Amino acid sequence: MSYDSISIRTQKLPKTLINTVLAIIVAINLNAQSSVNETGFLLNDPTDTVKRDTLIFNLDVDISQQLLPLDTILQIAYSNSPNIKYEESMIKSKVHDYRYNRMLFFQGFSGFYNYAVGNQTMIITGSTPVDNSQLSNGYRAGINISLPFSTLFGQNQKNKTLRALVEAATHRRDQIELELRREILRVYVNMIEAQRKLAVRNEDAQSSFLSAQVAEIELAEGKINTTEYARVKNIYAIAQNNVEQERANFLRAFFDFETLVGVEMKYLKKKPATTTPAPTTPNKN
């Protein structure tokens, strides 16, 4: 059936009936525009592709007000970051190397103890002057010290080198934290921006949707031609495309933020404040 035949048939209808139908359609769409669920999108929108993870947030409210304080989120991200955990392990490894190297200074120290039984005859037990004057009975105890010059004069430099490696690993860990903080802040701002733009685009799409519905009625009444109707429908299609783009931007930032922090977003949401009821005094009557 062509638009011309529709126009001829609708012209035979009473004007009051057409106006009544038009008012009902506009009222229904205005009601649908206000029927927004917690995701911030229309309940009757069959193309709604919002992930279930966003259902725990009310997108009519700034998402920054629904999340934990940013400093708390950053601490959670630091504790879950694999890169920071790796750098922490490297620091521990270098600290242990430093402590072990300090103990190597004592590898030239050794203790000894021996005991001999016999008569009081002087015997020769070795080639050194001390060994030439030993009794054949009794015991000996003492400490031998043998330190190479490389150990005696180079140990301190080796300790400084290992201490510097510990400091370098610490600075590397701090650098990783700064990079993670910068990335989280960037995605955090992008998520807030995308949410606000999405709300604006959604309102624009609803206005375009109402205009398209009115244009369809006016086309049936013969008030506008097909060219004007196509122009209005194209505006509505552009508005829908803008909504989908901003929705994708929001979801992209939403899940990037979740990945960087290392926990699901539902664990980053503020818990609702619980009010403790005031104690009531018993009635003495």
Side-chain angles (χ1 to χ4, degrees):
M1 184 180 295
S2 64
Y3 289 120
D4 295 336
S5 61
I6 293 176
S7 177
I8 294 174
R9 293 179 59 185
T10 54
Q11 288 176 359
K12 297 179 180 179
L13 296 176
K15 293 295 183 181
T16 55
L17 179 59
I18 294 177
N19 293 334
T20 303
V21 173
L22 178 60
I24 292 174
I25 293 175
V26 173
I28 291 174
N29 286 287
L30 287 174
N31 183 56
Q33 184 177 5
S34 60
S35 300
V36 179
N37 61 3
E38 288 188 352
T39 63
F41 303 104
L42 293 180
L43 288 170
N44 60 348
D45 185 3
T47 62
D48 186 8
T49 56
V50 178
K51 301 295 185 181
R52 60 180 177 80
D53 304 64
T54 61
L55 295 177
I56 60 175
F57 292 95
N58 182 2
L59 297 188
D60 290 332
V61 180
D62 196 322
I63 196 170
S64 63
Q65 299 178 9
Q66 304 179 65
L67 293 172
L68 295 173
L70 190 56
D71 290 339
T72 303
I73 294 177
L74 288 173
Q75 293 302 321
I76 295 174
Y78 295 157
S79 62
N80 290 306
S81 172
N83 291 335
I84 293 180
K85 290 180 179 179
Y86 174 80
E87 295 300 332
E88 290 284 358
S89 298
M90 292 300 297
I91 291 174
K92 292 179 180 179
S93 173
K94 294 183 184 304
V95 168
H96 292 315
D97 286 342
Y98 170 69
R99 292 176 179 175
Y100 174 73
N101 189 76
R102 292 182 61 184
M103 299 301 297
L104 290 180
F105 178 80
F106 299 98
Q107 66 181 350
F109 293 74
S110 62
F112 68 91
Y113 173 84
N114 54 42
Y115 181 81
V117 178
N119 55 28
Q120 298 298 318
T121 306
M122 300 291 292
I123 61 175
I124 297 175
T125 59
S127 59
T128 63
V130 177
D131 293 332
N132 289 337
S133 302
Q134 301 298 320
L135 296 175
S136 60
N137 62 350
Y139 66 89
R140 292 189 305 164
I143 298 176
N144 287 330
I145 300 177
S146 177
L147 289 177
F149 285 110
S150 60
T151 302
L152 187 61
F153 297 103
Q155 185 68 29
N156 187 44
Q157 299 301 321
K158 182 64 174 178
N159 290 340
K160 290 181 179 179
T161 300
L162 294 177
R163 193 183 303 117
L165 290 177
V166 173
E167 294 177 357
T170 303
H171 295 324
R172 173 64 181 171
R173 191 263 325 269
D174 295 340
Q175 180 184 2
I176 296 295
E177 287 186 359
L178 287 176
E179 292 176 355
L180 180 60
R181 176 186 176 87
R182 184 185 301 110
E183 187 66 16
I184 288 178
L185 292 178
R186 183 187 64 81
V187 176
Y188 182 76
V189 172
N190 289 345
M191 182 170 58
I192 296 174
E193 178 186 14
Q195 181 197 13
R196 295 175 179 175
K197 287 183 177 179
L198 180 59
V200 174
R201 295 295 191 184
N202 197 39
E203 292 179 2
D204 182 51
Q206 290 307 311
S207 299
S208 301
F209 176 71
L210 294 177
S211 298
Q213 293 294 316
V214 173
E216 186 174 351
I217 299 297
E218 292 180 344
L219 177 65
E221 294 177 350
K223 294 181 179 180
I224 61 174
N225 55 29
T226 55
T227 303
E228 178 65 17
Y229 177 71
R231 186 186 69 82
V232 175
K233 291 289 290 185
N234 183 63
I235 293 175
Y236 176 51
I238 293 174
Q240 282 185 311
N241 181 66
N242 292 335
V243 169
E244 293 301 325
Q245 287 181 352
E246 293 303 332
R247 182 181 303 184
N249 291 336
F250 173 77
L251 290 176
R252 190 179 299 111
F254 185 91
F255 291 115
D256 282 348
F257 190 79
E258 182 181 74
T259 302
L260 288 172
V261 177
V263 297
E264 297 181 14
M265 289 291 287
K266 62 182 179 181
Y267 298 115
L268 301 179
K269 186 178 181 182
K270 286 181 181 178
K271 294 182 179 179
T274 56
T275 57
T276 304
T280 57
T281 57
N283 191 356
K284 296 181 179 179
N285 295 333

